[in-house]
Amino acid sequence: MQSVVDFLNGIIWSPVLIYLCLGAGLFYSFRTRFVQIRHFFEMWRLLLSGKSSNQGISSFQALAVSLSGRVGTGNIAGVAAAIGFGGPGAVFWMWVVAFLGAATAYAESTLGQIYKEEDGDEFRGGPAYYIEKAMGQKWYAWIFAIVTIFATGILLPGVQSNSIGNAVEAAFGSGPIIETAIGTVSFAKVFTGTVISILLAFIIFGGVKRIANFTQVVVPFMALAYIITAFVIILLNLSMVPHVFSMIISDAFTPMAGVGAAIGWGVKRGVYSNEAGQGTGPHAAAAANVEHPAQQGLVQSFSVYIDTLLVCSATAFMILITGAFNVHGAAEGSYLIQNIAPNISANGPVFTQMAVDTVMPGVGKPFIAFALFFFAFTTILAYYYIAETNVAYIRRTFKVNGLMFVLKVLLIAATFYGTVKTASLAWALGDVGVGLMAWLNIVGILIICFLSKPTLKTLKDYEEQQKRGVEHYTFDPVKLGIKGADYWEDKLKRQSQPETSSTDEPRKPAAQPST
């Protein structure tokens, strides 16, 4: 199984995808005149404004849901893997992916908002929706939806829960060994998998609003606690900071781990962590209640900075300052740098746990296990919502009852199984899912831009309204020559009617307008 999955990854994560990820970010950076820099302060303003409605969640809630997907095991275990296999220089390429990916995130999340739909009492949207409406290729949209259901519903949750299981085992011990139908597993992992599954079932059966309410509290709190811990470690080792920067920059362009390895692992783990271009962010972006699609695109662009430039960098600096890492060579069992025992896997949270434990003995392993539990758990919640949205997309054509229930059961089972299986296989399967989604989505958003430029037209419209100093933004897709934005067309028609002009939701006249 491992060899088959590794073969698939060799094809999916060929240099072509690496260049495609970087190229798409560069393309949208130039076409939007580096929106990720020009509108940085506007991102802050929008982040703290906006309200939820009976159908949509607020911009901050949408950011929290998407951040719960972005800030996960990739920020702790993924950074460790990037350093362990690509060298310290991989961190530099993670930064590059974040900077360029912020423009990609703007584009895909704005598309999610433009082409969203009303589905009962909530909004739905994402790549499948905008591929069908903007590209006019329903078959392509179906392929993305099916791949995404498989990736976020089965493959990726196992990566998150596996890191939780490994972190708990490293922090508290494995306990008794248990013989099961799926092999020999430790009591610690079985117990952890059971707890995760029960909590997961409670929340995902409550719908997107329960997911949003949970993540908007947990994600900012844990991210802040994690960053403060990293900041303390950096302050205690302030003299090492210039050396760490030198190590990252020099190794990014020298063959210590091979320039190709540094770029490859940096981009792979960068995309895995911040998810820019992967197509996951637009699902949460589409659920937000905003006045103009560009607003949520900017908010989601900012989330890439939070994920990589803050949380991933915090992990990288802790590992590199304390020297709690090895760098694997090309040959099996060889090391370019060996600072710790060779039996410690780079595909896991142990590098990070050892780094914190070096400075805070006895605290590091349980703290990282605790942080990783919340980071990874909220990511699994985000994965469920993404998979659910794509099931809803398919259900527009095939009205089959029970699909959502089956999805919930499969995701919970995959999460439990991922907790107890080997880390290398879990990460390899996750890479297959991430790679396939990235291929389909990035090709899609590039084709859409060449066909009709909806994201560029939307950004220009928003900037023109900014210059006029409007109090309330409006979005008229017909005026901009954007076809298929049915929700926004209907919203404008409703607002033009006196009896419905005070609400965004015609079926729920008591709803408050967005601000």
Side-chain angles (χ1 to χ4, degrees):
M1 181 66 173
Q2 183 74 54
S3 60
V4 170
V5 174
D6 288 343
F7 173 75
L8 288 174
N9 269 322
I11 298 172
I12 295 168
W13 282 99
S14 67
V16 178
L17 181 56
I18 305 297
Y19 299 140
L20 187 64
C21 290
L22 294 174
L26 198 60
F27 172 79
Y28 271 108
S29 293
F30 278 108
R31 292 308 306 267
T32 61
R33 293 175 294 125
F34 290 89
V35 65
Q36 67 268 50
I37 299 175
R38 293 190 302 111
H39 287 295
F40 183 80
F41 293 106
E42 179 69 359
M43 294 174 190
W44 267 105
R45 187 189 72 80
L46 292 169
L47 181 61
L48 303 175
S49 65
K51 296 180 180 178
S52 61
S53 70
N54 288 341
Q55 285 177 300
I57 58 180
S58 70
S59 288
F60 182 77
Q61 287 177 318
L63 175 74
V65 172
S66 64
L67 266 178
S68 67
R70 299 186 202 278
V71 179
T73 191
N75 298 80
I76 297 177
V79 174
I83 294 171
F85 294 107
V91 178
F92 173 84
W93 293 105
M94 292 184 78
W95 291 341
V96 171
V97 168
F99 176 72
L100 298 178
T104 310
Y106 161 77
E108 63 182 0
S109 296
T110 301
L111 285 172
Q113 264 290 328
I114 293 172
Y115 297 103
K116 69 182 181 182
E117 295 180 356
E118 295 172 299
D119 180 19
D121 61 350
E122 60 187 275
F123 295 130
R124 298 280 191 189
Y129 293 82
Y130 59 67
I131 287 170
E132 177 186 329
K133 294 180 178 184
M135 279 180 63
Q137 303 297 326
K138 194 169 183 177
W139 64 270
Y140 193 89
W142 266 73
I143 291 174
F144 181 88
I146 292 169
V147 166
T148 303
I149 292 168
F150 187 65
T152 59
I154 298 174
L155 298 181
L156 291 170
V159 177
Q160 303 295 327
S161 61
N162 182 267
S163 290
I164 297 174
N166 289 340
V168 169
E169 194 174 60
F172 305 106
S174 60
I177 302 301
I178 303 171
E179 293 290 338
T180 69
I182 57 175
T184 303
V185 295
S186 69
F187 172 80
K189 288 192 173 183
V190 171
F191 177 78
T192 304
T194 303
V195 171
I196 294 170
S197 300
I198 292 171
L199 289 174
L200 190 60
F202 172 74
I203 295 174
I204 66 176
F205 277 95
V208 64
K209 296 243 175 164
R210 185 177 290 178
I211 294 172
N213 290 332
F214 181 81
T215 55
Q216 75 173 343
V217 174
V218 172
V219 172
F221 172 76
M222 282 311 305
L224 187 61
Y226 187 75
I227 291 168
I228 289 173
T229 302
F231 187 65
V232 169
I233 291 174
I234 292 168
L235 280 179
L236 292 174
N237 297 272
L238 204 56
S239 61
M240 286 288 294
V241 172
H243 173 67
V244 169
F245 267 113
S246 174
M247 197 188 310
I248 291 171
I249 301 302
S250 63
D251 187 46
F253 301 99
T254 57
M256 179 230 241
V259 175
I263 297 174
W265 278 97
V267 173
K268 182 188 289 190
R269 288 293 168 252
V271 172
Y272 192 96
S273 176
N274 65 51
E275 301 188 357
Q278 186 182 321
T280 50
H283 298 88
N289 182 51
V290 292
E291 290 181 334
H292 195 285
Q295 293 175 324
Q296 195 58 32
L298 293 173
V299 169
Q300 296 300 321
S301 179
F302 185 71
S303 71
V304 175
Y305 288 151
I306 297 174
D307 172 89
T308 305
L309 299 186
L310 284 179
V311 185
C312 282
S313 295
T315 301
F317 271 76
M318 286 192 293
I319 292 172
L320 295 175
I321 280 175
T322 59
F325 68 97
N326 295 328
V327 177
H328 289 257
E332 183 71 27
S334 66
Y335 293 91
L336 297 173
I337 297 177
Q338 186 178 347
N339 296 328
I340 56 178
N343 62 330
I344 296 175
S345 173
N347 271 323
V350 184
F351 283 9
T352 314
Q353 288 179 305
M354 291 180 67
V356 179
D357 220 49
T358 300
V359 181
M360 304 175 184
V363 175
K365 290 183 178 179
F367 173 76
I368 295 300
F370 186 72
L372 192 59
F373 174 82
F374 283 104
F375 283 166
F377 184 74
T378 52
T379 299
I380 296 170
L381 292 179
Y383 286 156
Y384 167 73
Y385 175 67
I386 293 163
E388 180 190 85
T389 299
N390 284 277
V391 169
Y393 171 80
I394 287 175
R395 211 168 55 178
R396 293 156 77 233
T397 304
F398 292 102
K399 306 290 183 182
V400 180
N401 293 325
L403 284 180
M404 293 298 185
F405 179 79
V406 171
L407 171 64
K408 290 178 173 71
V409 172
L410 285 175
L411 184 132
I412 292 169
T415 299
F416 180 84
Y417 183 68
T419 310
V420 300
K421 68 183 176 182
T422 60
S424 56
L425 181 58
W427 276 99
L429 287 170
D431 284 339
V432 169
V434 170
L436 288 174
M437 290 173 64
W439 264 110
L440 293 166
N441 183 60
I442 293 175
V443 169
I445 63 175
L446 289 175
I447 291 174
I448 288 170
C449 188
F450 285 115
L451 287 176
S452 56
K453 302 179 179 63
T455 52
L456 304 182
K457 293 175 182 176
T458 300
L459 181 60
K460 183 180 179 182
D461 178 62
Y462 185 72
E463 290 173 340
E464 287 175 352
Q465 293 186 55
Q466 267 187 316
K467 289 177 183 176
R468 296 200 305 269
V470 299
E471 186 177 347
H472 293 289
Y473 289 87
T474 58
F475 180 66
D476 186 349
V478 176
K479 179 183 175 182
L480 298 175
I482 298 174
K483 298 178 181 178
D486 301 330
Y487 164 76
W488 292 99
E489 291 181 28
D490 293 342
K491 179 179 176 179
L492 273 180
K493 290 175 184 176
R494 295 197 300 267
Q495 289 178 331
S496 65
Q497 299 171 3
E499 66 273 17
T500 60
S501 61
S502 64
T503 179
D504 288 347
E505 290 77 43
R507 291 187 293 272
K508 299 181 181 292
Q512 295 297 314
S514 60
T515 58

